[in-house]
Amino acid sequence: MSKSPEEEHPQKAFGWAARDKSGVLSPFNFSRRVNGDNDITIKVLYCGICHSDLHQIKNEWGNSVYPMVPGHEIVGVVTEVGKNVTKVKVGEKAGVGCLVGSCGSCHSCADDLENYCTKQILTYNARYHDETLTHGGYSDNLVVEEHFAIRFPENLPLDAAAPLLCAGITVFSPMKYYGLCKPGMSFGVVGLGGLGHVAVKFAKAFGMKVTVISTSLSKKKEAIEHLGADSFLVSRDQEEMQAAMGTMDGIIDTVSAFHPLLPLILLLKNHGKLVMVGAPDKPLELPVSPLLFGRKLVGGSGIGGIKETQEMIDFAAKHNITADIEVIPMDYVNTAMERLAKGDVKYRFVIDVANTLTP
């Protein structure tokens, strides 16, 4: 007979979990493994709410296992370290993003791309090496292998930096890989949500000329005056889009709803790159002719490896890049999920775990 979540491991833990595809979260007692020689234990201070948390708690991707404690934008303070740990010390700040494990021996792992390891272990809703279910950061503590922890520089505010562990690396990694990070480049950002607003900030820090591309004119003032974008295109305005054809070196597309790609491909210069980081639930149409007659590229990217995530956090600290957040108490989380489903947040909810998670 299998053990209950409270009895699986020796260390007690408490958080909020979804029990079924209704996605309703409620208080949940469970357990964490003992801190091993290569592990660190983190007292969770803040955890961001990612849109994928909403998909997972409602089983919208069809792979959810319950009970589920979500959360993969986790920051806190280190309370215990194993004898082999060198990355962090007790009392220092650390974070955990989307991954807590990988095989460690494949080509992807050897290249510091654990995010493409076929045996990657996600921070929640996955099976750990011992076959127990992983649980995320909507909880009071977390035990993680040192390798998968991220050091947090002292000058980064933990609450506003938490979303960088998912949203930040999701846009930073493709910008670096596809060479869309050179000063003076013309760069487009499609969609101004959790991913898009962070993409604008990184692009500006790289010294690029940034254009936000959105269906909604109402976001223009925010994009230019608050986030520092250089220009704004309404994707439904055919005259505006036609005038901007062939002007961009690269575009990052953060939209997860169904949308046409042709207008975006036409914005690219010859040899330009359109990089997809949103995940629409229906296949998009890909017109090939404009790719051929301009040697253009459509690519994709998914989060990033641990080494690059650390590089991203250090870059963010150097350039004072954080997410725009709304800090919420733990017992507001179900309302936050309802608002997130409607797009009613600028631009990321972050749970104040340390001050509001109470048994």
Side-chain angles (χ1 to χ4, degrees):
M1 185 173 162
S2 62
K3 292 183 178 179
S4 72
E6 280 186 86
E7 298 170 328
E8 277 184 334
H9 302 291
Q11 293 205 78
K12 287 184 178 179
F14 177 71
W16 279 46
R19 288 356 192 256
D20 54 47
K21 67 179 182 181
S22 71
V24 175
L25 294 142
S26 57
F28 177 62
N29 289 295
F30 64 110
S31 54
R32 301 284 193 188
R33 70 179 186 269
V34 166
N35 195 94
D37 291 346
N38 300 308
D39 291 336
I40 69 170
T41 299
I42 296 173
K43 177 189 176 184
V44 179
L45 300 180
Y46 297 99
C47 185
I49 296 180
C50 176
H51 212 285
S52 58
D53 297 348
L54 181 60
H55 291 303
Q56 292 280 31
I57 60 174
K58 290 181 175 291
N59 195 27
E60 289 175 354
W61 292 338
N63 66 342
S64 298
V65 181
Y66 302 99
M68 179 196 302
V69 179
H72 59 206
E73 300 177 347
I74 307 160
V75 291
V77 61
V78 178
T79 58
E80 188 178 351
V81 298
K83 67 180 184 181
N84 298 333
V85 170
T86 58
K87 187 185 274 188
V88 290
K89 299 184 179 73
V90 169
E92 292 183 338
K93 306 298 191 298
V96 177
C98 303
L99 300 172
V100 293
S102 67
C103 80
S105 57
C106 67
H107 289 302
S108 293
C109 288
D111 290 338
D112 298 308
L113 293 169
E114 300 90 347
N115 51 314
Y116 298 122
C117 173
T118 57
K119 296 180 181 176
Q120 61 172 235
I121 302 172
L122 299 176
T123 303
Y124 70 91
N125 196 43
R127 294 286 172 188
Y128 200 61
H129 299 299
D130 62 4
E131 290 302 313
T132 60
L133 198 59
T134 59
H135 289 301
Y138 296 16
S139 61
D140 55 4
N141 69 73
L142 184 76
V143 180
V144 65
E145 188 184 335
E146 167 193 34
H147 177 78
F148 292 91
I150 306 298
R151 294 184 308 275
F152 261 66
E154 283 298 321
N155 68 313
L156 261 185
L158 294 182
D159 52 359
L164 299 180
L165 291 166
C166 175
I169 189 60
T170 296
V171 297
F172 181 89
S173 181
M175 290 164 81
K176 295 284 283 188
Y177 177 78
Y178 289 102
L180 301 173
C181 55
K182 298 180 178 66
M185 275 186 161
S186 181
F187 184 72
V189 176
V190 186
L192 198 62
L195 294 177
H197 90 285
V198 174
V200 172
K201 294 184 181 190
F202 277 112
K204 289 301 295 180
F206 284 131
M208 296 193 285
K209 183 186 172 195
V210 182
T211 300
V212 170
I213 304 157
S214 174
T215 56
S216 174
L217 181 61
S218 64
K219 293 186 177 179
K220 181 173 183 177
K221 184 176 180 182
E222 174 87 3
I224 292 174
E225 294 183 12
H226 176 62
L227 296 172
D230 298 283
S231 55
F232 189 93
L233 278 177
V234 178
S235 55
R236 291 192 174 114
D237 187 322
Q238 291 189 340
E239 283 186 22
E240 271 191 27
M241 293 291 283
Q242 193 154 1
M245 280 172 57
T247 62
M248 297 184 189
D249 296 290
I251 296 172
I252 192 164
D253 186 345
T254 71
V255 174
S256 54
F258 185 85
H259 59 290
L261 295 182
L262 179 60
L264 303 176
I265 293 169
L266 294 177
L267 292 175
L268 293 170
K269 298 175 181 176
N270 289 344
H271 327 296
K273 298 165 186 173
L274 170 62
V275 185
M276 314 297 294
V277 294
D281 55 5
K282 293 176 185 161
L284 303 181
E285 286 186 20
L286 181 63
V288 173
S289 291
L291 302 181
L292 305 182
F293 300 108
R295 201 160 65 175
K296 298 175 183 181
L297 178 126
V298 178
S301 185
I303 55 172
I306 302 304
K307 182 180 178 182
E308 191 171 43
T309 302
Q310 186 68 63
E311 180 189 338
M312 178 274 304
I313 285 291
D314 293 341
F315 182 90
K318 182 179 177 183
H319 294 275
N320 296 312
I321 295 172
T322 55
D324 289 14
I325 61 169
E326 181 178 333
V327 177
I328 62 166
M330 189 75 240
D331 62 9
Y332 186 79
V333 68
N334 289 306
T335 304
M337 290 294 183
E338 290 172 10
R339 286 179 53 194
L340 180 60
K342 297 181 217 165
D344 177 25
V345 58
K346 281 189 178 177
Y347 284 96
R348 207 66 152 191
F349 287 117
V350 173
I351 304 166
D352 182 354
V353 175
N355 292 313
T356 67
L357 176 63
T358 51

